[in-house]
Amino acid sequence: MFLDNQSISLFCLKSFTFCCSSLSWMAESETMSLPVQTGDKRGCSEDKDEDVPSKKPKVESDHENGGAPDLNEEEPAEEASEEDDDGDTFADMMKHGLTETDVGILKYVSDHEGFSGILKERYSDFVVHEINKQGKTVHLDDLSIPVDSEQASETEQLPKESDVLTEEQKKQLGELQLFKNKEGNVAIEVMDDTKEKRTLVHKAIKTQFPGLETKTEEKDGRKFIVAYHAAGKKALAEVKTTKAPRKHFWPKNRGSYCHFTLYKENKDTMDAINVLSKFLRLRPNMFSYMGTKDKRAITVQEIAVLKITAERLAHLNKCLMNLKLGNFCYKNHPLKLGELQGNHFTVVIRNISGTSEQVHQAMTSLKTTGFINYFGMQRFGTTAVPTQHVGRAILRNDWNEVVDLILKPRPGAEKEFLVRCREEWAKSQDPEAALKKLPNKRCVEGQLLRGLSMYGKKNIVTAFGLIPRNSRLMYIHSYQSVVWNTMVSRRIDSFGLKAVEGDLVLRGTAAHVLSAEEAETHTIHDIVMPLPGFDVIYPSHHIGEGYREMLTADGLDIDNMRHKVKDYSLAGAYRRVVIRPTDVSWSVELHTCSRVVSSPQCDAITMCRSFFQLVLSTMKAFVLKLLCFFFFFWCREVIHYDDPRISLVHTDFEKLENKPAPVFIKDGKYRALRMEFSLPPSTYATMAIREVLKLDTSIKKQTQLNTTWLN
C-alpha cells in the first residue's frame, strides 16, 4: 500500500536522524556500493526526443476506447471459476480463430524481454473509466437524487401517488418487479371508480415500480388495474417499444436531459441501453453517450436521456443486474459520440512470470516510449471467416461472396442454432428455411436472411441493407484496419523509430509530407499513416507504393475508392503510428532492497532513493538492510493471491457499498501485475498490454495460455 508523501517524508527524516546517530561508530567502516540489477533493454537513439505529440485530429473511433462497437466482438473465454461452461468447447472454437500475424500486427517499439501473463481471466480484471470532454475521470460515487425548487413546489401541489397504494399492494408490486417470474401480474381493484383515481393508480405504479406496465380490465362488473412486467414475453408482444414515450410534467427551469453515470459489469454498452429502454418503455435512441465500452470488463461512463427524471432512473437500481446508475444531474444538451477525451484503464495481468526487473523495464518503456497504435484483435472478429474478408468483398462489389462469407458453414465450434442455420443455407439456399433455424433473428445472419427472404437473392444490396448501418460499415472499416496494420509494420521494419523523409505529419487536419530537413525536427510520435480512401495522401517513400500493391492484389483500385453505394465509399483518415499513454502507474512485487520501483502515486520515493545513495558509503550492511526492510514494508504493494476467483481491483460499486478493498497475501501462490494508464480515443488498450508482455493478445493465443494454466 502506498503512503502519502507527508508520511514518507516523515519516515525519511526519522531514518536520517537514526543514521546520523550511527555515523560516529561507523566512520572507519569500509565503503559499500549499492548493487544495481541490469536488464537486457537496449536504448534507442530515436527515443531521446520526448516532446508531447500535438493534439490529435479526429479519426474514426474504435470500440475499445470510446467509439462505435466493433463487429462480432468476442472477448476471451469465460473463466472456469465464474461459469460452468465447457472450456474445451471454446478452446476448440478458437483453434480456427485469428492471430496477430493474420492482421498485420508484427512489431514492437521496445527491446525489453517479454513475460507471460493471462489477460482478462476475469472480467473484473479490466476496468475502464471514461474521461469526459472536461478532462474529468467519470466515477460512480453518488446515488442521491437531485431536487430543484420548482420540482419541490410542484410536488407539494400534487396528490401523493404513494397514498393510493396499500402496503400489501406495494409488496406485491415490488415482488413482481424484482422476481424472475415476469409473466405474472398484480390486479388492484378500483373501489372509487373515477377516472382521476384510476389515473393516480396507473401513475403511482409506473413511477414507483419502473419496468411495470398497467392496463384497466373489467371482470364481473368490477374494474381492476392490472400491473404486469414490461420485460415479459407476452407483455412485449402486446406493447410495442417503438411507441413515443408518454409525456410527463417537466419543470421549465430544469434541463431537458438527465445525465447520469452508468456502471456496468460484463455487459456491452448497447445491451445496457436496450435493458434501460425496455424498463423505461423508451426507444434506445432516446439515450446518448460519448462512446461504447468493452463487454468483458467493468466500465463507468456518462449517459444522457431525454426528459426522464432521476427518480425513475434511480428506481431501476432495485431490479437491474450488473448495472448501477448514479451521479444524476440535469443539463440542456445530450452527449455526442467522440466528445470524450479518452479512457482510464486499470488492468490486472494474472499469473505473471516476469521478474520485478522485467516488469520495471517493460512499464518504463510503455511510459516513456509508448506502443504501436495497431487496431486491436476485436476489430477483426473471432471466427474462421474474418470480417476484413467480408469488407474486401463489399468494396469489390462482389455481393454473392458477401452472402457466402457471412452464411456459409465454417470450421470451429459455434452455437448449435448457428450451425444448423448455416447447414440449411448450404443445403437449400432457402433464406426462409435457414431463418427458421435461428431463435434470435436480430443477429447479422438473421437480418441478412430476412432481407433475402423479403427482396430475393437477386437484390442482395437491398437485403444486406437490413443489417444496421454501423455493423455494415464495420466490415469495410476492418479491411481498412488490416491494411493500416500491415503498412505500419512494414514502415517500422524499414525505418525503425525515427521520422524519415517521405513520412506524413498532421498540420491542422491536413497531412504534410516531410522533407529530409523537416524529418530531423520530428519524432516517431508525430508520424501518421493513412487508412486507405479517396481523401487521403500516402507517404512518398516506398511504403506509399506498398499501399497500392496491397490493394491491387485484393482487386481494388487505390485511385478509385468511391463505391456505387455511397455508404461504402471510403474517404480514409489519418492515425498516429505510436501512442504514449499518460498517468502510467503499476504495482509489482519487490524481492530485495536493490530496486525501488518508481510510481507517480508516490513522488517521495525519488527523494528516498537519493537519500540512501548519499549515506550508503558510511553505513553498516545490517543498518542498510534494516532501513530497506522498513522502507519496503511501508511503500510496496505486493499483488500476491491464493484464490484465482477473487477480484484484485476495488471497484466504484464496492466503494459505495463500503466493501473492503482486496487484501493481498504476502506469500500467495500466484503473482499479478496491476497497471493503470490513460489513452486518447481511437486507441486499443490491448495493444498497450501487448507491448508490455510481448505476447499475442488474440483470443486464440490467450485461450491456449489460459487452458494450459488451468490444466
Side-chain angles (χ1 to χ4, degrees), residues 223-434:
K223 286 191 176 181
F224 295 85
I225 293 177
V226 179
Y228 55 96
H229 209 295
K233 294 179 181 178
K234 295 178 182 177
L236 291 177
E238 296 172 4
V239 183
K240 301 295 184 182
T241 59
T242 54
K243 292 181 179 179
R246 296 178 177 85
K247 293 184 179 179
H248 295 281
F249 169 76
W250 199 262
K252 294 180 180 179
N253 68 339
R254 179 196 291 167
S256 297
Y257 293 87
C258 183
H259 288 234
F260 61 94
T261 295
L262 171 66
Y263 169 99
K264 63 182 182 66
E265 296 183 356
N266 205 26
K267 192 177 291 291
D268 181 79
T269 298
M270 283 311 303
D271 289 340
I273 294 296
N274 288 334
V275 169
L276 297 179
S277 301
K278 190 176 292 184
F279 274 93
L280 295 169
R281 312 303 292 154
L282 298 174
R283 295 188 301 269
N285 62 6
M286 301 297 288
F287 294 86
S288 59
Y289 44 88
M290 294 182 286
T292 60
K293 301 292 182 282
D294 291 276
K295 174 184 177 181
R296 188 171 173 75
I298 294 176
T299 70
V300 184
Q301 67 183 115
E302 189 175 348
I303 305 287
V305 60
L306 178 63
K307 289 190 175 180
I308 296 295
T309 65
E311 185 177 16
R312 289 188 68 190
L313 292 168
H315 272 299
L316 295 179
N317 286 330
K318 299 178 182 178
C319 51
L320 293 176
M321 295 292 292
N322 297 333
L323 297 175
K324 208 73 174 177
L325 317 180
N327 295 83
F328 305 102
C329 64
Y330 296 103
K331 299 181 181 180
N332 288 316
H333 59 83
L335 297 170
K336 296 180 181 179
L337 279 172
E339 280 186 330
L340 74 169
Q341 287 194 16
N343 290 284
H344 183 76
F345 296 87
T346 303
V347 180
V348 173
I349 310 295
R350 292 182 184 251
N351 203 36
I352 62 170
S353 63
T355 65
S356 295
E357 178 69 21
Q358 288 175 307
V359 171
H360 179 68
Q361 288 182 351
M363 293 303 300
T364 300
S365 174
L366 179 68
K367 180 179 179 180
T368 57
T369 305
F371 63 96
I372 302 175
N373 194 21
Y374 286 123
F375 289 95
M377 292 304 298
Q378 59 264 54
R379 187 79 159 181
F380 308 102
T382 57
T383 66
V385 179
T387 55
Q388 68 266 25
H389 291 180
V390 181
R392 180 179 60 193
I394 294 171
L395 294 173
R396 291 194 303 207
N397 215 33
D398 189 345
W399 292 101
N400 287 320
E401 185 183 3
V402 170
V403 172
D404 184 55
L405 287 171
I406 294 176
L407 296 180
K408 70 179 182 180
R410 56 193 62 180
E414 269 195 311
K415 293 180 179 179
E416 185 61 31
F417 61 81
L418 273 176
V419 173
R420 292 196 299 268
C421 171
R422 298 188 194 283
E423 290 175 347
E424 178 61 39
W425 173 256
K427 179 179 67 175
S428 66
Q429 296 287 298
D430 183 350
E432 292 187 2

Side-chain angles (χ1 to χ4, degrees), residues 572-637:
Y574 298 103
R575 182 177 176 88
R576 292 199 182 277
V577 172
V578 173
I579 290 291
R580 187 161 42 199
T582 58
D583 306 318
V584 179
S585 64
W586 63 94
S587 303
V588 296
E589 178 187 3
L590 301 177
H591 290 293
T592 68
C593 61
S594 61
R595 168 63 65 181
V596 179
V597 178
S598 62
S599 168
Q601 298 177 0
C602 190
D603 295 334
I605 291 179
T606 302
M607 180 177 66
C608 292
R609 180 188 292 150
S610 300
F611 162 71
F612 286 136
Q613 290 174 343
L614 177 66
V615 299
L616 279 181
S617 59
T618 55
M619 291 177 63
K620 283 286 188 179
F622 79 92
V623 177
L624 169 62
K625 292 179 181 179
L626 181 63
L627 288 174
C628 288
F629 170 79
F630 282 112
F631 177 81
F632 290 127
F633 179 79
W634 289 109
C635 292
R636 70 178 181 173
E637 184 176 2

Side-chain angles (χ1 to χ4, degrees), residues 149-160:
S149 57
E150 186 170 339
Q151 180 186 12
S153 62
E154 292 290 342
T155 302
E156 292 174 2
Q157 298 173 15
L158 295 174
K160 290 185 179 180

